[in-house]
Amino acid sequence: MGRPTDGTRWTNRQLLFHMVLGYGVVRTLLPLVRTLGRLGSSRRFAATLNAGRRPFHAINYVGPCLAARLIPPRVMTALLDAVIGSLQRALAAETERSLAWSMYMPTGWDPYFLPRMSVLDVYHFGTRHFDHYRRQLTLTPPPPSARS
């Protein structure tokens, strides 16, 4: 778990926490997108967040470095399961109308943030973010005898 990743400054363990955090971001963004989407006043909010992207990127890097030292892998797994379960339940309760609410996003924060994203796009963001970083993990596959 302490091996370096392919293409990031994180170790595998740090990157795994960042991947878990990505789904947490989705859970946090959903009410924001719904609210600002209804109000129609998200352009300035996104611009303000973009203006603060440097501190965001620093925190986004350091946070997983610290969390990987403090949070054991079994807790990360439980956290990921809880967040994904929460998102699955929330998605099942969405309506076509609620999935269409959208807001402007701080595109300087993440390469998968589109200039404007709907609630449905935000749900999809978590998986795109996860898949992107999964490719950068350098985990050794189990030996052939251990595979099922």
Side-chain angles (χ1 to χ4, degrees):
M1 293 288 273
R3 290 176 58 190
T5 58
D6 182 18
T8 78
R9 295 183 297 162
W10 285 311
T11 65
N12 283 323
R13 188 169 174 170
Q14 293 164 342
L15 182 55
L16 284 168
F17 181 80
H18 178 77
M19 292 163 70
V20 171
L21 191 61
Y23 279 112
V25 166
V26 170
R27 193 167 62 179
T28 302
L29 278 176
L30 289 170
L32 189 63
V33 174
R34 286 186 201 101
T35 302
L36 292 179
R38 285 185 195 123
L39 296 174
S41 60
S42 60
R43 191 181 300 257
R44 282 193 194 133
F45 181 72
T48 301
L49 292 177
N50 261 332
R53 72 181 167 269
R54 284 183 190 231
F56 166 80
H57 287 304
I59 293 165
N60 192 39
Y61 172 73
V62 172
C65 292
L66 296 173
R69 291 176 179 230
L70 301 173
I71 301 173
R74 65 178 166 68
V75 174
M76 273 195 252
T77 301
L79 181 59
L80 181 61
D81 287 345
V83 170
I84 289 176
S86 167
L87 289 172
Q88 288 173 330
R89 288 186 299 278
L91 181 58
E94 297 284 1
T95 65
E96 199 171 313
R97 184 173 186 216
S98 68
L99 289 171
W101 290 114
S102 66
M103 68 173 265
Y104 288 94
M105 298 299 284
T107 55
W109 282 37
D110 191 279
Y112 292 107
F113 279 171
L114 304 172
R116 190 169 181 95
M117 292 177 71
S118 68
V119 168
L120 182 60
D121 294 329
V122 172
Y123 277 109
H124 188 60
F125 161 80
T127 301
R128 293 181 72 203
H129 183 266
F130 186 94
D131 287 346
H132 171 88
Y133 286 108
R134 183 188 64 206
R135 291 187 292 272
Q136 294 177 310
L137 292 171
T138 57
L139 304 173
T140 306
S145 62
R147 294 182 192 157
S148 12

